[in-house]
């Protein structure tokens, strides 16, 4: 075996840490995965133990190398992709977190966001960051930690603390605290970063009372930012690619031309559309975000996206499994839902963590409507799957309107894409083909691609894109009238879910 045959991708997700070794053909050569604990201290609060995230990520990285039969000398670079917006602070001297990380799903800062809107800050914040004011993003989470963790604000003002999203935390750990850095995609999700100036925004920092000294440097998504400590993985390996999970998945799906889009089906569901080298402001409550930033002879070249995020997708299937016990394994939902031809007018709105785009209602709550005495487990299972497809169809309609481009196909990835019934539902309610790639690990592959481009493992984006191959194409079978009738009924169901957390 010659040296530098592989790329190691670290894929740190909301419910598990994964690592994948890829070869030059983009094929998976070794993997490792570990779930970690979710903490729910109060309704609407979601936390992670940052120490457990790091230990599980290191463990699976070593496992993936073993399973690939690879040593550190065989690895050209490490690429990192991560759950976005999840927020933590730690002591620069000891490296110890001051509190558990606040997960992107956490809604505790909804009142602060409401206050920001009441005070008239929403419009200018969206103009600068591309984001709507919502508890989803890191900025208000960081403000909450500084306000509520004993001694945090004083320590931050003394320059003793570091803030990071999960990519920053992993880079800090991999380099033994030598590098405090994020990439432009993760920075663009904090609500602290100016999308146009490509820098942290001092006006926003002042508004949220966040010292600039807390913040990491912002690097391109592709480019060496440091090397791993030799003792961690058996040798010093360049860390050369970093991107938030949805951006990495879009890159892994080779959506390199304006108008191309992908949807990732995981804990949540996230659709991103490439809109080119300039941000597009949304008139339909979508987000403008950085897709990736790449080194260029004239500086840094940025690609921008429109994004719509669904907070609960696969998590709704997990709830059927863990909360209701109507399936034993998540994969069982497909056969159960297939026992009926339709939902019998049952709709499930999985707003367990509020509603994201295009509704942005933190007080929405999960709702099932249309139940009758004839409703069975199968109807509820089918309605749960259909809720994922219907939410995604809402996003695509908004993207078509904002971009003025009607998508011709949707590329898909994530664990739920193995569910053929769901993929057919998605094609039916969208009215365009849904294309599942041969390599399902688009998120990790995108991180690998960014790292590989930086180190010459792949010579160009075109060489990397040539690896993308379709596994299966799902063509829509519904008429336009049937699609519109279903979407209209879905919108009625959503109205029942809205604002429930504020009632009474």
């Amino acid at each position: 075996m010659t040296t530098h045959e592989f790329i190691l991708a670290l894929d740190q997700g909301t419910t598990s840490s994964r690592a994948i070794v890829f070869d030059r053909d983009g094929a998976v050569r070794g993997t490792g995965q570990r779930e970690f604990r979710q903490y729910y201290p109060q309704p609407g609060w979601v936390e992670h133990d940052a120490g457990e995230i790091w230990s599980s990520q290191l463990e699976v990285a070593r496992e993936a190398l073993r399973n690939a039969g690879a040593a550190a000398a065989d690895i050209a670079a490490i690429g990192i992709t991560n759950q976005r917006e999840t927020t933590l602070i730690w002591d620069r001297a000891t490296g110890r977190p001051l509190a558990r990380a606040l997960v992107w799903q956490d809604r505790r800062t909804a009142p602060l966001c409401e206050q920001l809107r009441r005070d008239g800050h929403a419009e200018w914040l969206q103009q600068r960051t591309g984001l709507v004011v919502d508890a989803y993003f890191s900025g208000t989470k960081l403000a909450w930690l500084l306000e509520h963790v004993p001694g945090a604000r004083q320590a931050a003002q003394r320059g003793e603390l570091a803030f990071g999203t999960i990519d920053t935390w992993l880079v800090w750990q991999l380099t033994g605290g030598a590098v405090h850095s994020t990439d432009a995609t993760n920075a663009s999700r904090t609500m602290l970063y100016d999308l146009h100036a490509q820098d942290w925004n001092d006006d926003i920092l002042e508004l949220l009372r966040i010292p600039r000294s807390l913040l990491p440097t912002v690097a391109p998504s592709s480019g060496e930012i440091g090397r791993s400590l030799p003792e961690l993985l058996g040798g010093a390996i360049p860390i050369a690619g970093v991107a938030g999970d949805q951006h990495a998945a879009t890159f892994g799906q080779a959506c390199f031309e304006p108008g191309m889009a992908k949807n990732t089906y995981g804990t949540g569901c996230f659709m991103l559309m490439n809109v080119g080298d300039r941000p597009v402001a949304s008139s339909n409550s979508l987000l403008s975000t950085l897709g990736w930033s790449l080194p260029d002879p004239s500086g840094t070249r940025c690609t921008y996206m429109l994004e719509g995020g669904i907070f609960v997708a696969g998590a709704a299937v997990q709830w059927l499994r863990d909360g209701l016990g109507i399936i034993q394994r998540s994969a069982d939902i497909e056969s159960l839902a297939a026992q009926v031809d339709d939902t019998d007018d049952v709709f499930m709105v999985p707003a367990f963590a509020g509603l994201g785009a295009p509704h942005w209602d933190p007080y929405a709550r999960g709702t099932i409507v249309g139940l009758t005495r004839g409703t069975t487990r199968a109807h509820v299972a089918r309605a749960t799957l259909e809720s994922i497809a219907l939410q995604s169809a809402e996003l695509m309609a908004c993207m078509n309107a904002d971009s003025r481009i009607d998508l011709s196909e949707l590329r898909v990835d994530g664990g739920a894409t193995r569910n053929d019934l769901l993929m057919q539902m998605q094609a039916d309610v969208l009215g365009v083909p849904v294309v599942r790639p041969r390599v399902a690990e688009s998120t990790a592959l995108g991180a690998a691609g960014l790292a590989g481009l930086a180190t010459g493992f792949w010579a160009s984006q075109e060489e990397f894109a040539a690896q993308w191959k379709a596994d299966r194409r799902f063509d829509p079978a519904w008429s336009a009238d049937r699609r519109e009738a279903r979407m209209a009924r879905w919108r009625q169901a959503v109205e029942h879910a809205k604002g429930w957390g504020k009632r009474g």
Side-chain angles (χ1 to χ4, degrees):
M1 184 186 295
T2 59
T3 60
H4 300 338
E5 288 296 321
F6 307 117
I7 297 283
L8 173 62
L10 306 184
D11 182 357
Q12 205 299 300
T14 307
T15 58
S16 70
S17 296
R18 307 174 71 233
I20 301 179
V21 174
F22 291 98
D23 65 18
R24 292 183 188 277
D25 295 324
V28 174
R29 299 294 292 270
T31 66
Q33 181 168 356
R34 293 287 183 280
E35 290 191 1
F36 55 88
R37 186 173 174 185
Q38 311 290 305
Y39 295 87
Y40 306 100
Q42 294 184 33
W45 291 27
V46 190
E47 299 176 350
H48 287 162
D49 182 327
E52 187 181 1
I53 284 178
W54 163 239
S55 62
S56 63
Q57 191 65 73
L58 179 60
E59 183 182 357
V60 297
R62 291 168 172 167
E63 182 182 351
L65 291 175
R66 286 195 303 271
N67 290 339
D74 304 314
I75 305 299
I78 295 171
I80 296 173
T81 184
N82 56 285
Q83 53 165 315
R84 302 172 302 169
E85 296 97 16
T86 295
T87 302
L88 65 150
I89 52 175
W90 62 91
D91 186 288
R92 289 181 179 272
T94 66
R96 284 198 287 269
L98 271 67
R100 290 193 195 124
L102 306 191
V103 181
W104 59 272
Q105 299 160 313
D106 190 284
R107 309 305 294 169
R108 74 186 68 185
T109 63
L112 173 55
C113 293
E114 206 168 73
Q115 186 64 50
L116 290 170
R117 288 190 291 270
R118 278 199 303 268
D119 291 345
H121 298 301
E123 186 175 351
W124 73 267
L125 283 169
Q126 184 165 11
Q127 288 172 349
R128 284 163 176 75
T129 67
L131 309 177
V132 301
V133 174
D134 191 79
Y136 179 23
F137 304 109
S138 311
T140 58
K141 290 177 165 60
L142 176 54
W144 190 95
L145 287 168
L146 292 176
E147 192 67 30
H148 291 88
V149 175
R153 184 168 299 284
Q154 294 80 1
Q157 289 168 343
R158 293 192 298 267
E160 297 171 359
L161 301 185
F163 151 75
T165 45
I166 296 301
D167 60 304
T168 303
W169 173 243
L170 293 180
V171 169
W172 178 280
Q173 294 292 338
L174 285 165
T175 62
V179 179
H180 182 215
S181 173
T182 190
D183 91 297
T185 69
N186 281 292
S188 77
R189 309 296 299 187
T190 60
M191 212 172 77
L192 305 174
Y193 189 75
D194 193 311
L195 206 57
H196 308 279
Q198 300 287 308
D199 195 9
W200 303 116
N201 185 285
D202 289 319
D203 292 335
I204 302 174
L205 296 178
E206 182 179 353
L207 175 67
L208 295 178
R209 300 180 63 216
I210 294 171
R212 194 178 175 109
S213 62
L214 274 170
L215 305 180
T217 58
V218 182
S221 309
S222 180
E224 184 175 334
I225 56 173
R227 289 178 174 250
S228 64
L229 295 176
E231 61 267 27
L232 295 177
L233 297 170
I237 305 173
I239 303 166
V242 178
D245 51 9
Q246 304 312 319
H247 315 262
T250 312
F251 198 88
Q253 288 273 34
C255 293
F256 296 152
E257 298 299 323
M260 297 182 72
K262 71 88 202 176
N263 201 18
T264 296
Y265 300 76
T267 302
C269 209
F270 297 89
M271 187 181 292
L272 276 76
M273 175 194 276
N274 185 329
V275 295
D277 59 4
R278 295 175 184 271
V280 170
S282 173
S283 301
N284 292 279
S285 299
L286 300 180
L287 309 177
S288 297
T289 192
L290 256 163
W292 46 78
S293 59
L294 304 177
D296 188 80
S298 60
T300 301
R301 177 166 46 93
C302 294
T303 298
Y304 293 89
M305 304 278 158
L306 282 170
E307 175 178 338
I310 297 164
F311 294 156
V312 175
V317 178
Q318 293 172 333
W319 176 69
L320 295 187
R321 181 193 67 192
D322 303 334
L324 296 188
I326 70 171
I327 52 175
Q328 291 187 320
R329 300 174 305 128
S330 293
D332 295 340
I333 191 171
E334 183 171 8
S335 58
L336 178 59
Q339 291 177 12
V340 291
D341 294 331
D342 57 46
T343 69
D344 198 24
D345 204 36
V346 172
F347 286 83
M348 198 261 234
V349 183
F352 303 142
L355 286 170
H359 305 286
W360 297 108
D361 183 353
Y363 301 105
R365 292 295 179 264
T367 308
I368 301 177
V369 298
L371 297 174
T372 69
R373 185 61 183 84
T375 301
T376 67
R377 293 186 311 137
H379 291 111
V380 173
R382 193 174 185 101
T384 301
L385 285 183
E386 196 175 68
S387 75
I388 300 171
L390 290 164
Q391 290 178 98
S392 298
E394 279 192 301
L395 297 183
M396 177 175 274
C398 293
M399 284 188 180
N400 288 343
D402 282 335
S403 67
R404 300 180 183 177
I405 302 170
D406 287 333
L407 289 186
S408 58
E409 70 172 29
L410 180 68
R411 295 185 174 185
V412 297
D413 54 71
T417 61
R418 292 189 293 268
N419 186 319
D420 289 350
L421 178 60
L422 172 59
M423 293 299 96
Q424 186 58 54
M425 286 178 174
Q426 189 66 86
D428 289 341
V429 299
L430 286 177
V432 301
V434 167
V435 186
R436 183 171 62 198
R438 193 172 299 170
V439 176
E441 307 294 350
S442 298
T443 304
L445 181 59
L450 291 165
L453 287 176
T455 54
F457 190 81
W458 288 293
S460 65
Q461 281 183 253
E462 291 74 22
E463 181 184 338
F464 178 73
Q467 300 172 126
W468 189 92
K469 298 287 190 300
D471 168 59
R472 181 169 170 184
R473 179 185 176 97
F474 298 85
D475 291 309
W478 284 9
S479 68
D481 287 346
R482 184 176 179 185
R483 281 196 303 276
E484 183 47 47
R486 200 67 179 157
M487 290 303 299
R489 196 69 166 145
W490 164 254
R491 288 189 286 270
Q492 283 183 273
V494 170
E495 289 305 311
H496 288 291
K498 285 184 175 180
W500 190 265
K502 290 187 79 171
R503 296 175 196 173

PDB file of all heavy atoms in Angstrom, residues 348-375:
ATOM      1  N   MET A 348     -49.933  13.922  10.553  1.00  0.00           N
ATOM      2  CA  MET A 348     -49.069  14.123  11.707  1.00  0.00           C
ATOM      3  C   MET A 348     -48.160  15.316  11.436  1.00  0.00           C
ATOM      4  O   MET A 348     -47.478  15.350  10.414  1.00  0.00           O
ATOM      5  CB  MET A 348     -48.216  12.873  11.931  1.00  0.00           C
ATOM      6  CG  MET A 348     -47.635  12.837  13.307  1.00  0.00           C
ATOM      7  SD  MET A 348     -46.024  13.338  13.594  1.00  0.00           S
ATOM      8  CE  MET A 348     -45.514  11.831  14.398  1.00  0.00           C
ATOM      9  N   VAL A 349     -48.199  16.313  12.316  1.00  0.00           N
ATOM     10  CA  VAL A 349     -47.310  17.471  12.219  1.00  0.00           C
ATOM     11  C   VAL A 349     -46.272  17.314  13.335  1.00  0.00           C
ATOM     12  O   VAL A 349     -46.576  17.539  14.510  1.00  0.00           O
ATOM     13  CB  VAL A 349     -48.081  18.797  12.375  1.00  0.00           C
ATOM     14  CG1 VAL A 349     -47.131  19.984  12.199  1.00  0.00           C
ATOM     15  CG2 VAL A 349     -49.231  18.872  11.380  1.00  0.00           C
ATOM     16  N   PRO A 350     -45.036  16.906  12.998  1.00  0.00           N
ATOM     17  CA  PRO A 350     -44.062  16.555  14.042  1.00  0.00           C
ATOM     18  C   PRO A 350     -43.319  17.778  14.582  1.00  0.00           C
ATOM     19  O   PRO A 350     -42.093  17.853  14.522  1.00  0.00           O
ATOM     20  CB  PRO A 350     -43.124  15.601  13.307  1.00  0.00           C
ATOM     21  CG  PRO A 350     -43.141  16.084  11.900  1.00  0.00           C
ATOM     22  CD  PRO A 350     -44.532  16.614  11.645  1.00  0.00           C
ATOM     23  N   ALA A 351     -44.063  18.711  15.145  1.00  0.00           N
ATOM     24  CA  ALA A 351     -43.468  19.965  15.627  1.00  0.00           C
ATOM     25  C   ALA A 351     -43.006  19.811  17.079  1.00  0.00           C
ATOM     26  O   ALA A 351     -43.313  20.656  17.926  1.00  0.00           O
ATOM     27  CB  ALA A 351     -44.487  21.096  15.487  1.00  0.00           C
ATOM     28  N   PHE A 352     -42.257  18.744  17.352  1.00  0.00           N
ATOM     29  CA  PHE A 352     -41.821  18.489  18.730  1.00  0.00           C
ATOM     30  C   PHE A 352     -40.875  19.578  19.233  1.00  0.00           C
ATOM     31  O   PHE A 352     -40.768  19.804  20.437  1.00  0.00           O
ATOM     32  CB  PHE A 352     -41.116  17.137  18.815  1.00  0.00           C
ATOM     33  CG  PHE A 352     -41.954  15.984  18.330  1.00  0.00           C
ATOM     34  CD1 PHE A 352     -41.377  14.947  17.612  1.00  0.00           C
ATOM     35  CD2 PHE A 352     -43.308  15.924  18.588  1.00  0.00           C
ATOM     36  CE1 PHE A 352     -42.135  13.874  17.165  1.00  0.00           C
ATOM     37  CE2 PHE A 352     -44.078  14.865  18.152  1.00  0.00           C
ATOM     38  CZ  PHE A 352     -43.493  13.837  17.425  1.00  0.00           C
ATOM     39  N   ALA A 353     -40.153  20.223  18.310  1.00  0.00           N
ATOM     40  CA  ALA A 353     -39.217  21.290  18.676  1.00  0.00           C
ATOM     41  C   ALA A 353     -39.604  22.592  17.982  1.00  0.00           C
ATOM     42  O   ALA A 353     -38.765  23.391  17.611  1.00  0.00           O
ATOM     43  CB  ALA A 353     -37.796  20.888  18.295  1.00  0.00           C
ATOM     44  N   GLY A 354     -40.903  22.817  17.822  1.00  0.00           N
ATOM     45  CA  GLY A 354     -41.371  23.964  17.064  1.00  0.00           C
ATOM     46  C   GLY A 354     -41.300  23.681  15.577  1.00  0.00           C
ATOM     47  O   GLY A 354     -40.967  22.577  15.144  1.00  0.00           O
ATOM     48  N   LEU A 355     -41.628  24.679  14.782  1.00  0.00           N
ATOM     49  CA  LEU A 355     -41.570  24.559  13.331  1.00  0.00           C
ATOM     50  C   LEU A 355     -40.483  25.463  12.782  1.00  0.00           C
ATOM     51  O   LEU A 355     -40.359  26.621  13.178  1.00  0.00           O
ATOM     52  CB  LEU A 355     -42.916  24.952  12.702  1.00  0.00           C
ATOM     53  CG  LEU A 355     -44.068  23.947  12.854  1.00  0.00           C
ATOM     54  CD1 LEU A 355     -45.371  24.589  12.405  1.00  0.00           C
ATOM     55  CD2 LEU A 355     -43.795  22.669  12.055  1.00  0.00           C
ATOM     56  N   GLY A 356     -39.685  24.929  11.852  1.00  0.00           N
ATOM     57  CA  GLY A 356     -38.683  25.726  11.162  1.00  0.00           C
ATOM     58  C   GLY A 356     -39.282  26.367   9.930  1.00  0.00           C
ATOM     59  O   GLY A 356     -40.448  26.762   9.894  1.00  0.00           O
ATOM     60  N   ALA A 357     -38.469  26.463   8.867  1.00  0.00           N
ATOM     61  CA  ALA A 357     -38.911  27.117   7.633  1.00  0.00           C
ATOM     62  C   ALA A 357     -40.090  26.356   7.026  1.00  0.00           C
ATOM     63  O   ALA A 357     -40.135  25.129   7.084  1.00  0.00           O
ATOM     64  CB  ALA A 357     -37.756  27.167   6.636  1.00  0.00           C
ATOM     65  N   PRO A 358     -41.053  27.074   6.427  1.00  0.00           N
ATOM     66  CA  PRO A 358     -41.127  28.539   6.329  1.00  0.00           C
ATOM     67  C   PRO A 358     -41.960  29.179   7.439  1.00  0.00           C
ATOM     68  O   PRO A 358     -42.303  30.356   7.337  1.00  0.00           O
ATOM     69  CB  PRO A 358     -41.818  28.723   4.973  1.00  0.00           C
ATOM     70  CG  PRO A 358     -42.768  27.562   4.890  1.00  0.00           C
ATOM     71  CD  PRO A 358     -42.077  26.420   5.573  1.00  0.00           C
ATOM     72  N   HIS A 359     -42.292  28.439   8.496  1.00  0.00           N
ATOM     73  CA  HIS A 359     -43.238  28.928   9.511  1.00  0.00           C
ATOM     74  C   HIS A 359     -42.548  29.646  10.676  1.00  0.00           C
ATOM     75  O   HIS A 359     -43.080  30.621  11.198  1.00  0.00           O
ATOM     76  CB  HIS A 359     -44.074  27.761  10.052  1.00  0.00           C
ATOM     77  CG  HIS A 359     -44.775  26.997   8.979  1.00  0.00           C
ATOM     78  ND1 HIS A 359     -45.882  27.482   8.330  1.00  0.00           N
ATOM     79  CD2 HIS A 359     -44.508  25.785   8.417  1.00  0.00           C
ATOM     80  CE1 HIS A 359     -46.283  26.610   7.421  1.00  0.00           C
ATOM     81  NE2 HIS A 359     -45.460  25.578   7.454  1.00  0.00           N
ATOM     82  N   TRP A 360     -41.407  29.103  11.117  1.00  0.00           N
ATOM     83  CA  TRP A 360     -40.635  29.694  12.207  1.00  0.00           C
ATOM     84  C   TRP A 360     -41.496  29.986  13.433  1.00  0.00           C
ATOM     85  O   TRP A 360     -41.630  31.108  13.887  1.00  0.00           O
ATOM     86  CB  TRP A 360     -39.898  30.957  11.736  1.00  0.00           C
ATOM     87  CG  TRP A 360     -38.903  30.638  10.679  1.00  0.00           C
ATOM     88  CD1 TRP A 360     -38.991  30.937   9.352  1.00  0.00           C
ATOM     89  CD2 TRP A 360     -37.686  29.902  10.842  1.00  0.00           C
ATOM     90  NE1 TRP A 360     -37.902  30.437   8.671  1.00  0.00           N
ATOM     91  CE2 TRP A 360     -37.083  29.802   9.563  1.00  0.00           C
ATOM     92  CE3 TRP A 360     -37.032  29.319  11.932  1.00  0.00           C
ATOM     93  CZ2 TRP A 360     -35.870  29.148   9.353  1.00  0.00           C
ATOM     94  CZ3 TRP A 360     -35.828  28.667  11.726  1.00  0.00           C
ATOM     95  CH2 TRP A 360     -35.255  28.582  10.453  1.00  0.00           C
ATOM     96  N   ASP A 361     -42.094  28.940  13.949  1.00  0.00           N
ATOM     97  CA  ASP A 361     -42.944  29.052  15.136  1.00  0.00           C
ATOM     98  C   ASP A 361     -42.351  28.192  16.252  1.00  0.00           C
ATOM     99  O   ASP A 361     -42.527  26.966  16.269  1.00  0.00           O
ATOM    100  CB  ASP A 361     -44.364  28.588  14.811  1.00  0.00           C
ATOM    101  CG  ASP A 361     -45.316  28.753  15.997  1.00  0.00           C
ATOM    102  OD1 ASP A 361     -44.844  29.102  17.102  1.00  0.00           O
ATOM    103  OD2 ASP A 361     -46.522  28.520  15.822  1.00  0.00           O
ATOM    104  N   PRO A 362     -41.644  28.807  17.207  1.00  0.00           N
ATOM    105  CA  PRO A 362     -41.037  28.015  18.283  1.00  0.00           C
ATOM    106  C   PRO A 362     -42.063  27.427  19.243  1.00  0.00           C
ATOM    107  O   PRO A 362     -41.733  26.544  20.037  1.00  0.00           O
ATOM    108  CB  PRO A 362     -40.137  29.027  18.996  1.00  0.00           C
ATOM    109  CG  PRO A 362     -40.775  30.346  18.735  1.00  0.00           C
ATOM    110  CD  PRO A 362     -41.365  30.243  17.350  1.00  0.00           C
ATOM    111  N   TYR A 363     -43.303  27.922  19.169  1.00  0.00           N
ATOM    112  CA  TYR A 363     -44.339  27.458  20.089  1.00  0.00           C
ATOM    113  C   TYR A 363     -45.271  26.425  19.458  1.00  0.00           C
ATOM    114  O   TYR A 363     -46.208  25.956  20.103  1.00  0.00           O
ATOM    115  CB  TYR A 363     -45.149  28.649  20.614  1.00  0.00           C
ATOM    116  CG  TYR A 363     -44.287  29.648  21.341  1.00  0.00           C
ATOM    117  CD1 TYR A 363     -43.931  30.860  20.749  1.00  0.00           C
ATOM    118  CD2 TYR A 363     -43.790  29.364  22.611  1.00  0.00           C
ATOM    119  CE1 TYR A 363     -43.119  31.769  21.416  1.00  0.00           C
ATOM    120  CE2 TYR A 363     -42.977  30.272  23.287  1.00  0.00           C
ATOM    121  CZ  TYR A 363     -42.641  31.464  22.681  1.00  0.00           C
ATOM    122  OH  TYR A 363     -41.831  32.362  23.342  1.00  0.00           O
ATOM    123  N   ALA A 364     -45.016  26.061  18.212  1.00  0.00           N
ATOM    124  CA  ALA A 364     -45.772  24.955  17.609  1.00  0.00           C
ATOM    125  C   ALA A 364     -45.430  23.664  18.347  1.00  0.00           C
ATOM    126  O   ALA A 364     -44.327  23.501  18.872  1.00  0.00           O
ATOM    127  CB  ALA A 364     -45.436  24.826  16.132  1.00  0.00           C
ATOM    128  N   ARG A 365     -46.384  22.747  18.372  1.00  0.00           N
ATOM    129  CA  ARG A 365     -46.158  21.465  19.057  1.00  0.00           C
ATOM    130  C   ARG A 365     -46.689  20.327  18.188  1.00  0.00           C
ATOM    131  O   ARG A 365     -47.580  20.515  17.356  1.00  0.00           O
ATOM    132  CB  ARG A 365     -46.848  21.448  20.426  1.00  0.00           C
ATOM    133  CG  ARG A 365     -46.229  22.398  21.434  1.00  0.00           C
ATOM    134  CD  ARG A 365     -44.802  21.995  21.801  1.00  0.00           C
ATOM    135  NE  ARG A 365     -44.174  22.910  22.745  1.00  0.00           N
ATOM    136  CZ  ARG A 365     -43.368  23.919  22.397  1.00  0.00           C
ATOM    137  NH1 ARG A 365     -43.111  24.142  21.111  1.00  0.00           N
ATOM    138  NH2 ARG A 365     -42.816  24.692  23.308  1.00  0.00           N
ATOM    139  N   GLY A 366     -46.133  19.150  18.428  1.00  0.00           N
ATOM    140  CA  GLY A 366     -46.518  17.977  17.653  1.00  0.00           C
ATOM    141  C   GLY A 366     -48.014  17.713  17.741  1.00  0.00           C
ATOM    142  O   GLY A 366     -48.610  17.804  18.817  1.00  0.00           O
ATOM    143  N   THR A 367     -48.608  17.381  16.603  1.00  0.00           N
ATOM    144  CA  THR A 367     -50.064  17.251  16.508  1.00  0.00           C
ATOM    145  C   THR A 367     -50.419  16.123  15.550  1.00  0.00           C
ATOM    146  O   THR A 367     -49.788  15.975  14.506  1.00  0.00           O
ATOM    147  CB  THR A 367     -50.684  18.556  15.967  1.00  0.00           C
ATOM    148  OG1 THR A 367     -50.220  19.664  16.752  1.00  0.00           O
ATOM    149  CG2 THR A 367     -52.192  18.517  16.007  1.00  0.00           C
ATOM    150  N   ILE A 368     -51.408  15.329  15.933  1.00  0.00           N
ATOM    151  CA  ILE A 368     -51.982  14.357  15.002  1.00  0.00           C
ATOM    152  C   ILE A 368     -53.457  14.709  14.848  1.00  0.00           C
ATOM    153  O   ILE A 368     -54.185  14.817  15.837  1.00  0.00           O
ATOM    154  CB  ILE A 368     -51.832  12.908  15.506  1.00  0.00           C
ATOM    155  CG1 ILE A 368     -50.355  12.564  15.698  1.00  0.00           C
ATOM    156  CG2 ILE A 368     -52.456  11.930  14.510  1.00  0.00           C
ATOM    157  CD1 ILE A 368     -50.120  11.172  16.273  1.00  0.00           C
ATOM    158  N   VAL A 369     -53.902  14.926  13.622  1.00  0.00           N
ATOM    159  CA  VAL A 369     -55.297  15.280  13.372  1.00  0.00           C
ATOM    160  C   VAL A 369     -55.921  14.254  12.434  1.00  0.00           C
ATOM    161  O   VAL A 369     -55.237  13.549  11.700  1.00  0.00           O
ATOM    162  CB  VAL A 369     -55.430  16.690  12.761  1.00  0.00           C
ATOM    163  CG1 VAL A 369     -54.908  17.737  13.720  1.00  0.00           C
ATOM    164  CG2 VAL A 369     -54.689  16.781  11.427  1.00  0.00           C
ATOM    165  N   GLY A 370     -57.248  14.170  12.488  1.00  0.00           N
ATOM    166  CA  GLY A 370     -57.979  13.281  11.596  1.00  0.00           C
ATOM    167  C   GLY A 370     -58.190  11.875  12.135  1.00  0.00           C
ATOM    168  O   GLY A 370     -58.599  10.984  11.393  1.00  0.00           O
ATOM    169  N   LEU A 371     -57.916  11.668  13.433  1.00  0.00           N
ATOM    170  CA  LEU A 371     -58.087  10.336  14.018  1.00  0.00           C
ATOM    171  C   LEU A 371     -59.557   9.939  14.069  1.00  0.00           C
ATOM    172  O   LEU A 371     -60.422  10.749  14.409  1.00  0.00           O
ATOM    173  CB  LEU A 371     -57.510  10.299  15.440  1.00  0.00           C
ATOM    174  CG  LEU A 371     -56.003  10.552  15.585  1.00  0.00           C
ATOM    175  CD1 LEU A 371     -55.624  10.616  17.062  1.00  0.00           C
ATOM    176  CD2 LEU A 371     -55.201   9.463  14.881  1.00  0.00           C
ATOM    177  N   THR A 372     -59.824   8.698  13.730  1.00  0.00           N
ATOM    178  CA  THR A 372     -61.159   8.112  13.890  1.00  0.00           C
ATOM    179  C   THR A 372     -61.009   6.766  14.573  1.00  0.00           C
ATOM    180  O   THR A 372     -59.891   6.288  14.821  1.00  0.00           O
ATOM    181  CB  THR A 372     -61.842   7.902  12.526  1.00  0.00           C
ATOM    182  OG1 THR A 372     -61.143   6.855  11.817  1.00  0.00           O
ATOM    183  CG2 THR A 372     -61.841   9.177  11.700  1.00  0.00           C
ATOM    184  N   ARG A 373     -62.129   6.130  14.848  1.00  0.00           N
ATOM    185  CA  ARG A 373     -62.073   4.811  15.483  1.00  0.00           C
ATOM    186  C   ARG A 373     -61.420   3.786  14.557  1.00  0.00           C
ATOM    187  O   ARG A 373     -60.909   2.759  15.008  1.00  0.00           O
ATOM    188  CB  ARG A 373     -63.503   4.354  15.863  1.00  0.00           C
ATOM    189  CG  ARG A 373     -63.565   3.058  16.646  1.00  0.00           C
ATOM    190  CD  ARG A 373     -62.830   3.160  17.979  1.00  0.00           C
ATOM    191  NE  ARG A 373     -62.843   1.877  18.683  1.00  0.00           N
ATOM    192  CZ  ARG A 373     -61.978   0.885  18.473  1.00  0.00           C
ATOM    193  NH1 ARG A 373     -61.047   1.006  17.543  1.00  0.00           N
ATOM    194  NH2 ARG A 373     -62.058  -0.225  19.172  1.00  0.00           N
ATOM    195  N   GLY A 374     -61.401   4.091  13.274  1.00  0.00           N
ATOM    196  CA  GLY A 374     -60.785   3.170  12.324  1.00  0.00           C
ATOM    197  C   GLY A 374     -59.295   3.385  12.118  1.00  0.00           C
ATOM    198  O   GLY A 374     -58.651   2.635  11.361  1.00  0.00           O
ATOM    199  N   THR A 375     -58.721   4.396  12.781  1.00  0.00           N
ATOM    200  CA  THR A 375     -57.294   4.667  12.619  1.00  0.00           C
ATOM    201  C   THR A 375     -56.462   3.565  13.264  1.00  0.00           C
ATOM    202  O   THR A 375     -56.732   3.149  14.398  1.00  0.00           O
ATOM    203  CB  THR A 375     -56.930   6.019  13.257  1.00  0.00           C
ATOM    204  OG1 THR A 375     -57.708   7.050  12.639  1.00  0.00           O
ATOM    205  CG2 THR A 375     -55.452   6.319  13.089  1.00  0.00           C
TER     206      THR A 375
END
